[in-house]
C-alpha cells in the first residue's frame, strides 16, 4: 500500500484505521492496553513530528512512534516494550479520529482480503519456500481456527504452542509482524493457508497434497521400502501363530525386534512400537515369567496384525499414508519461545521392561493443555531412584529446588523445547518462577471433575475402540470432591479402595493397585484418610482416569497421584495450598502399620504402567485393556477360548484337526443365530482359508472390537 506523495501516508493510514474496531486493537495488544491508551488521550495530544509517503511519525507522551502504511502491526516505538504498546495504540486512535472524510469508509472483511490473497500472492510476499514449508507444517500439525466475526481470526497450532492472529483492513502487511524470519514466515504462511481453507476459498492444492504425502512418506534410499516391511510383519505375525504361542522360539522374538528396528528406518513408528511390545510379551512367555499371558500376547499379535492390514490397504490406495496409522516418531521436539506453566503434581513409576521414572505434570495456560517432564533410568542403575531425582537440582536454569519445586510453581519457560504433550529437559531452556502454583486459579474446564454423575461419557477417550489413538494426557484430571467415603486395603484383590462423593452424593471410585514401589503411596493415603482433620483439608486430587470392570458393571474410576490440601499456616507466605505427591513427599505419619505393609507382598498379574517416555509419543498398546475382564455373551466367550486354544497349539502342516473344524462350524452357526454376523463370518472363514493364521488373527481382532463395543454399552448404562 502506498500513499503516493506528501501526506499520502497519513491519508492511507486514516482510511486503514477507520476499519479498525476494538476487537482489532485487542488482537494487536490487549484489552487493558487499549483502555490505557484511551485514558492517555484524555490528558495528552500526540504531536506529529514528520511524515512521508511511507511513514507517519508522532510523539506520544515520552515515546516516538513510527507508523508505516502497512498498518499498526508493523509499527515501531522507542519505548522498551517488545510488543504493540500503549503508545502505538494511542497514535492509531488519534489518527483514526482525525480522518477528514465525511463519508463512511467500507469495512473490509477477512474473507474479502483472503480471497485476493492466493498462493501466488503469498509466495511473492513470503517466498515460495515459506509457502511450501507452510504446507508441510499443516501436514504434520493440526491448526485450529477461531473466527471472531467477519473481521478477525486466530489460528492456533496446539502442538507447537503458537498462534497467529489476523484481522481485516490491513491486507497482507497487517497480517505479518514487523520482523519476519524464516520460522515466522512459515508459521504465517501456514496460518493464511489454513484460513483460506476454513473460509472455503481454496481446496487442497497440489503443493499441499504433496506436502501431506511427504510428511508421512518413507525416506528415500532406505534398504527396504514400507510395503516390504509391512508384508514382512504380516508374514512374521502369522508365523508366530502357526508355530504356536507356547512354542515360539527365541529366534522369532529376535525377528520381531529386528523388524521393529526396520520400521523406524522406513518411518513407521507405530508399527515398530507394536512389534516391540509383541516381542516383549513373547519374551516373558518364553521365560515363563509370572506376568506372562498367552491371552495378552494373542491380543497384541491380533492388534498388530490389524494395523498391518490397515497400512497395507493404505499402500494399495493412491492417497498418502494416513498419519494416524503411521504414527509419530518419538522425541520430536520443536522450539517454542515461551511457555506459561502451572504445576499440578508429580508421580514415580516403574515399567515391566525394567525402567524407573519420575513424571512432573504441568498445565500450559495459553492453550490449556497438560504437559509432562519425564526423567527415567534402568532400574538396575546404581545410585538412582525416582525419589532421589525428585529432590535433586534441575532440569532448568533459574529453577532452584529441582522437580520438587517445578511441580509446585507457577512459571514461564523460555526457549522451551516441546514435543506433543511433553517438555524437554534441555539446559538451553530457562525458567522464571513467578510464585507458588494454585490449580484453583486456572481454567481447567472438563479436566476438573466436580460432578460425578456423567463420568461414563469419558469412556471413549479412556478406552478408544479399534486402532484409534489413545492420548495418555486425556486421562489426567483434577478431582474436586465434596466428601469422602471409606478407605480400606483389599487383601484379596491386593488393592487400596477409596470413594469420593460430589455435592449431589454421586460416587467416584479411587484405587491403587499394590506393587512394591507403590507401598509408600498406599501408606500415605491410608494415613490421610484415617485422619478426619487432615482429610477435611483435601481440596483437589490429581488423578489418572481408568476404566474398571466390576462384575457385570463398568465403572470409570481413578488412580490418585497427588493431593492439594488447605494450608492456612502458609498464608503468610502468599499461598494457602500444600501439595503432597504420593510416594514422593512426606505426609502425616500413620498411627499404625498400614494394611499394605501387613499384606502379602505378591505382585498382581498384568503389566505395570508402560514406559512413560515412549507412551507419550506413540499410540500405546502396552496397558492392560479394560475390556479383557468384561462379561460378554457366552457364545463370544466360547469363540475366544477356541481361538486361543488353536493359537497356543499352533497350526499343523496338514491343517486343522477335523474335530477343531467341526467345533468352528458349530460356533459359527451359534453366533449367526444370535445375530453376531461379523463374528460368524470371521469364524466360518478360518478352516476354509488358504492362510489359517491370517484368518485366526482377524477373527481374534473382531472379538476385541466386540468387547470394546460391549464396554461402551455397559458404561453408558452405568
Amino acid at each position: 500500500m502506498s500513499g503516493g506523495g506528501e501526506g499520502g501516508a497519513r491519508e492511507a493510514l486514516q482510511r486503514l484505521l477507520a476499519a479498525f474496531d476494538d476487537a482489532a486493537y485487542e488482537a494487536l495488544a490487549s484489552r487493558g492496553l487499549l483502555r490505557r491508551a484511551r485514558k492517555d488521550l484524555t490528558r495528552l495530544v500526540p504531536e506529529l513530528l514528520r511524515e512521508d509517503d511511507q511513514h507517519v511519525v508522532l510523539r506520544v507522551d515520552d515515546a516516538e512512534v513510527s507508523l508505516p502504511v502497512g498498518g499498526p502491526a508493523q509499527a515501531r516505538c522507542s519505548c522498551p516494550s517488545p510488543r504493540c504498546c500503549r503508545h502505538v495504540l494511542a497514535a492509531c486512535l488519534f489518527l483514526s479520529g482525525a480522518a477528514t472524510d465525511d463519508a463512511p469508509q467500507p469495512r473490509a472483511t477477512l474473507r474479502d482480503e483472503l480471497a485476493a490473497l492466493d498462493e501466488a500472492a503469498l509466495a511473492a510476499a513470503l517466498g515460495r519456500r515459506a509457502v511450501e514449508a507452510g504446507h508441510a507444517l499443516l501436514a504434520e500439525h493440526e491448526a485450529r481456527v477461531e473466527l471472531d466475526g467477519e473481521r478477525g481470526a486466530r489460528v492456533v497450532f496446539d502442538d507447537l504452542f503458537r498462534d497467529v492472529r489476523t484481522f481485516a483492513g490491513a491486507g497482507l502487511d497487517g497480517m505479518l509482524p514487523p520482523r519476519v524470519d524464516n520460522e515466522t514466515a512459515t508459521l504465517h504462511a501456514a496460518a493464511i493457508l489454513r484460513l483460506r481453507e476454513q473460509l472455503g476459498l481454496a481446496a487442497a492444492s497440489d503443493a499441499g497434497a504433496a506436502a501431506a504425502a511427504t510428511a508421512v512418506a518413507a525416506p528415500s534410499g532406505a534398504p527396504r521400502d514400507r510395503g516390504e516391511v509391512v508384508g514382512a510383519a504380516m508374514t512374521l505375525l502369522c508365523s508366530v501363530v502357526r508355530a504356536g504361542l507356547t512354542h515360539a522360539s527365541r529366534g522369532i522374538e529376535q525377528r520381531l525386534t529386528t523388524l521393529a528396528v526396520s520400521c523406524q528406518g522406513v518411518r513407521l513408528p507405530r508399527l515398530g512400537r507394536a512389534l516391540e511390545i509383541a516381542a516383549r510379551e513373547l519374551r516373558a512367555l518364553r521365560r515363563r515369567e509370572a506376568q506372562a499371558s498367552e491371552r495378552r500376547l494373542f491380543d497384541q499379535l491380533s492388534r498388530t496384525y490389524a494395523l498391518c492390514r490397515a497400512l497395507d490397504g493404505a499402500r494399495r490406495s493412491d492417497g498418502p499414508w494416513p498419519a494416524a496409522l503411521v504414527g509419530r516418531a518419538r522425541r520430536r521436539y520443536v522450539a517454542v519461545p515461551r511457555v506459561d506453566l502451572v504445576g499440578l503434581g508429580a508421580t514415580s513409576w516403574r515399567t515391566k521392561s525394567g525402567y524407573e521414572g519420575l513424571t512432573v505434570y504441568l498445565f500450559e495456560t495459553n492453550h490449556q493443555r497438560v504437559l509432562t517432564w519425564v526423567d527415567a533410568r534402568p532400574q538396575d542403575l546404581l545410585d538412582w531412584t525416582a525419589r532421589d531425582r525428585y529432590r535433586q537440582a534441575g532440569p532448568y536454569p533459574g529453577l532452584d529446588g529441582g522437580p520438587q519445586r517445578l511441580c509446585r510453581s507457577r512459571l514461564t519457560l523460555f526457549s522451551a523445547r516441546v514435543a506433543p504433550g511433553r517438555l524437554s529437559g534441555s539446559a538451553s531452556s530457562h525458567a522464571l518462577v513467578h510464585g507458588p502454583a494454585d490449580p484453583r486459579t486456572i481454567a481447567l474446564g472438563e479436566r476438573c471433575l466436580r460432578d460425578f454423575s456423567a463420568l461414563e461419557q469419558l469412556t471413549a477417550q479412556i478406552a478408544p475402540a479399534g486402532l484409534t489413538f489413545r492420548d495418555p494426557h486425556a486421562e489426567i484430571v483434577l478431582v474436586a470432591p465434596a466428601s469422602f467415603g471409606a478407605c480400606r486395603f483389599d487383601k484379596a484383590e491386593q488393592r487400596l479402595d477409596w470413594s469420593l462423593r460430589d455435592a449431589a452424593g454421586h460416587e467416584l471410585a479411587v484405587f491403587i493397585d499394590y506393587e512394591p514401589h507403590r507401598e509408600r503411596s498406599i501408606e500415605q493415603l491410608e494415613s490421610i484418610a484415617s485422619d478426619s482433620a487432615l482429610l477435611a483439608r483435601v481440596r483437589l486430587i490429581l488423578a489418572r482416569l481408568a476404566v474398571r470392570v466390576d462384575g457385570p458393571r463398568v465403572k470409570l474410576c481413578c488412580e490418585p497421584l497427588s493431593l492439594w490440601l488447605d494450608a492456612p499456616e502458609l498464608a503468610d507466605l502468599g499461598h494457602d495450598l500444600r501439595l503432597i505427591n504420593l510416594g514422593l513427599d512426606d505426609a502425616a505419619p500413620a498411627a499404625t502399620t498400614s494394611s499394605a505393609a501387613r499384606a502379602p507382598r505378591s505382585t498382581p498379574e498384568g503389566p505395570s504402567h508402560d514406559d512413560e517416555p515412549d507412551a507419550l509419543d506413540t499410540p500405546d498398546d502396552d496397558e492392560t485393556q479394560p475390556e479383557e475382564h468384561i462379561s460378554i455373551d457366552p457364545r463370544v466367550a466360547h469363540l475366544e477360548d477356541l481361538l486361543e486354544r488353536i493359537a497356543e497349539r499352533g497350526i499343523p502342516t496338514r491343517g486343522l484337526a477335523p474335530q477343531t473344524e467341526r467345533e468352528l462350524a458349530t460356533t459359527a452357526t451359534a453366533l449367526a443365530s444370535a445375530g453376531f454376523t461379523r463374528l460368524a463370518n470371521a469364524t466360518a472363514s478360518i478352516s476354509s482359508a488358504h492362510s489359517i493364521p491370517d484368518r485366526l488373527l482377524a477373527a481374534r481382532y473382531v472379538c476385541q472390537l466386540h468387547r470394546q463395543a460391549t464396554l461402551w454399552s455397559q458404561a453408558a448404562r452405568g
Side-chain angles (χ1 to χ4, degrees):
M1 185 183 298
S2 176
E6 185 178 354
R10 193 192 327 174
E11 295 175 2
L13 276 168
Q14 288 172 345
R15 289 194 297 270
L16 173 65
L17 294 172
F20 275 48
D21 56 11
D22 285 1
Y25 286 120
E26 289 170 11
L28 275 172
S30 68
R31 183 174 301 177
L33 277 178
L34 181 59
R35 287 197 301 265
R36 176 70 184 277
R38 284 201 169 101
K39 185 176 180 180
D40 287 345
L41 289 177
T42 62
R43 63 176 181 83
L44 59 86
V45 177
E47 176 188 356
L48 178 63
L49 298 180
R50 57 187 178 276
E51 63 178 305
D52 54 30
D53 62 343
Q54 293 295 323
H55 297 82
V56 175
V57 182
L58 301 97
R59 179 174 300 282
V60 181
D61 202 0
D62 57 348
E64 188 173 299
V65 177
S66 175
L67 284 172
V69 293
Q74 299 180 14
R76 295 177 181 271
C77 182
S78 61
C79 77
S81 175
R83 299 183 178 182
C84 182
C85 62
R86 63 185 178 89
H87 305 109
V88 172
L89 292 179
C92 292
L93 291 170
F94 172 73
L95 282 179
S96 64
T100 58
D101 291 344
D102 295 331
Q105 300 294 328
R107 294 168 68 85
T109 67
L110 190 62
R111 182 185 180 86
D112 294 336
E113 290 195 349
L114 290 174
L117 190 60
D118 57 11
E119 280 197 32
L122 196 58
L126 296 176
R128 174 56 57 186
R129 288 188 177 181
V131 175
E132 292 175 352
H135 278 300
L137 187 145
L138 289 175
E140 292 190 26
H141 301 277
E142 182 179 354
R144 177 166 49 85
V145 175
E146 299 175 355
L147 294 175
D148 182 11
E150 295 183 344
R151 306 190 58 253
R154 178 180 179 228
V155 183
V156 184
F157 297 87
D158 287 317
D159 287 350
L160 301 176
F161 295 90
R162 302 288 293 275
D163 59 61
V164 175
R165 297 176 183 268
T166 186
F167 46 88
L172 178 61
D173 290 338
M175 298 181 187
L176 300 177
R179 291 175 292 276
V180 181
D181 54 20
N182 291 338
E183 181 181 352
T184 303
T186 298
L187 191 70
H188 281 73
I192 293 171
L193 291 169
R194 180 68 182 89
L195 271 174
R196 284 176 53 81
E197 179 185 345
Q198 176 75 17
L199 296 173
L201 298 174
S205 66
D206 293 338
T214 302
V216 293
S220 59
R224 305 175 74 176
D225 63 30
R226 279 182 170 175
E228 292 174 341
V229 171
V230 172
M234 296 171 68
T235 301
L236 182 55
L237 294 170
C238 289
S239 299
V240 178
V241 175
R242 186 178 295 279
L245 303 182
T246 57
H247 306 298
S249 65
R250 182 180 181 184
I252 290 181
E253 175 198 328
Q254 292 174 338
R255 289 171 62 191
L256 285 169
T257 303
T258 302
L259 199 55
V261 176
S262 298
C263 288
Q264 304 302 327
V266 295
R267 294 181 187 166
L268 289 175
R270 183 173 185 180
L271 179 58
R273 177 63 180 158
L275 290 169
E276 286 178 6
I277 296 170
R280 195 167 68 198
E281 293 288 353
L282 182 58
R283 184 184 312 119
L285 189 63
R286 188 176 55 80
R287 294 176 177 176
R288 293 178 171 80
E289 295 178 1
Q291 295 181 351
S293 168
E294 290 89 349
R295 168 164 294 212
R296 194 163 58 247
L297 172 60
F298 194 21
D299 285 342
Q300 180 62 31
L301 294 175
S302 64
R303 282 194 296 271
T304 308
Y305 187 77
L307 177 59
C308 289
R309 290 284 295 269
L311 288 168
D312 189 57
R315 178 183 67 85
R316 298 174 187 275
S317 67
D318 295 331
W321 294 72
L325 298 178
V326 171
R328 194 190 297 265
R330 302 173 191 170
R331 300 178 176 88
R332 292 188 62 183
Y333 291 99
V334 296
V336 178
R338 168 182 176 146
V339 181
D340 294 315
L341 303 166
V342 176
L344 297 178
T347 188
S348 61
W349 44 269
R350 290 182 184 176
T351 71
K352 189 176 57 172
S353 55
Y355 278 79
E356 179 176 357
L358 171 69
T359 297
V360 174
Y361 294 95
L362 304 131
F363 190 78
E364 197 275 323
T365 56
N366 292 329
H367 297 81
Q368 299 182 353
R369 307 184 74 185
V370 172
L371 294 177
T372 57
W373 172 83
V374 179
D375 197 356
R377 299 286 189 277
Q379 290 183 34
D380 55 3
L381 188 68
L382 297 178
D383 300 328
W384 196 96
T385 66
R387 197 157 185 264
D388 290 340
R389 179 65 187 94
Y390 177 66
R391 289 166 169 76
Q392 292 170 357
Y396 305 114
L399 177 70
D400 297 329
Q404 186 175 18
R405 189 181 181 197
L406 177 62
C407 64
R408 291 174 162 82
S409 297
R410 177 172 52 87
L411 69 151
T412 298
L413 190 62
F414 296 98
S415 302
R417 297 190 59 80
V418 182
R422 213 163 98 220
L423 285 168
S424 168
S426 172
S428 62
S429 303
H430 180 81
L432 175 62
V433 178
H434 304 296
D438 187 347
R440 299 170 300 183
T441 63
I442 55 180
L444 292 168
E446 62 181 12
R447 288 190 179 274
C448 187
L449 301 183
R450 300 182 184 276
D451 180 5
F452 306 158
S453 62
L455 293 176
E456 287 72 20
Q457 298 176 2
L458 300 174
T459 304
Q461 70 184 42
I462 305 304
L467 298 175
T468 305
F469 171 75
R470 182 184 70 82
D471 180 10
H473 290 85
E475 304 168 3
I476 302 301
V477 295
L478 277 169
V479 183
S483 59
F484 307 90
C487 179
R488 67 181 187 86
F489 187 82
D490 188 329
K491 295 182 180 180
E493 296 292 336
Q494 291 284 283
R495 183 181 66 215
L496 180 74
D497 288 318
W498 193 26
S499 63
L500 311 176
R501 302 188 189 95
D502 63 12
H506 302 110
E507 287 197 354
L508 172 63
V510 177
F511 74 96
I512 302 180
D513 288 323
Y514 177 81
E515 291 180 25
H517 72 280
R518 292 178 177 170
E519 184 171 322
R520 181 180 177 85
S521 300
I522 293 174
E523 292 176 357
Q524 286 182 316
L525 197 57
E526 282 187 312
S527 173
I528 294 171
S530 63
D531 187 334
S532 58
L534 193 59
L535 187 62
R537 292 165 56 183
V538 175
R539 289 293 169 263
L540 294 170
I541 300 174
L542 179 70
R544 181 187 292 114
L545 291 177
V547 176
R548 192 167 78 187
V549 178
D550 188 4
R553 297 188 60 196
V554 175
K555 297 193 303 184
L556 195 65
C557 51
C558 66
E559 177 188 0
L561 306 175
S562 307
L563 306 179
W564 288 88
L565 286 72
D566 277 337
E569 67 275 8
L570 301 178
D572 292 340
L573 301 178
H575 58 100
D576 59 353
L577 282 182
R578 175 189 177 196
L579 173 64
I580 298 178
N581 293 310
L582 297 176
L584 296 171
D585 289 319
D586 295 323
T592 60
T593 305
S594 75
S595 303
R598 296 193 303 266
R601 302 302 182 94
S602 62
T603 302
E605 286 194 10
S608 59
H609 291 293
D610 186 30
D611 187 352
E612 185 87 4
D614 297 339
L616 296 180
D617 288 334
T618 57
D620 172 32
D621 297 312
D622 197 28
E623 297 281 357
T624 300
Q625 303 298 316
E627 63 268 16
E628 290 180 5
H629 309 292
I630 199 170
S631 299
I632 59 174
D633 189 282
R635 286 159 290 204
V636 181
H638 173 73
L639 172 61
E640 288 186 330
D641 292 338
L642 176 58
L643 297 177
E644 191 172 339
R645 290 202 308 271
I646 297 173
E648 286 178 357
R649 293 195 298 262
I651 312 299
T653 306
R654 61 182 182 277
L656 297 176
Q659 180 181 354
T660 304
E661 291 184 349
R662 287 193 295 271
E663 190 172 359
L664 283 169
T666 302
T667 303
T669 302
L671 291 169
S673 63
F676 298 115
T677 307
R678 287 187 178 273
L679 283 169
N681 293 339
T683 305
S685 67
I686 293 176
S687 58
S688 60
H690 173 70
S691 176
I692 294 176
D694 175 286
R695 298 294 181 179
L696 202 65
L697 289 167
R700 181 66 174 196
Y701 184 68
V702 177
C703 289
Q704 290 184 52
L705 294 179
H706 172 78
R707 279 189 173 273
Q708 290 170 346
T710 304
L711 178 75
W712 284 21
S713 175
Q714 294 188 12
R717 293 197 299 267

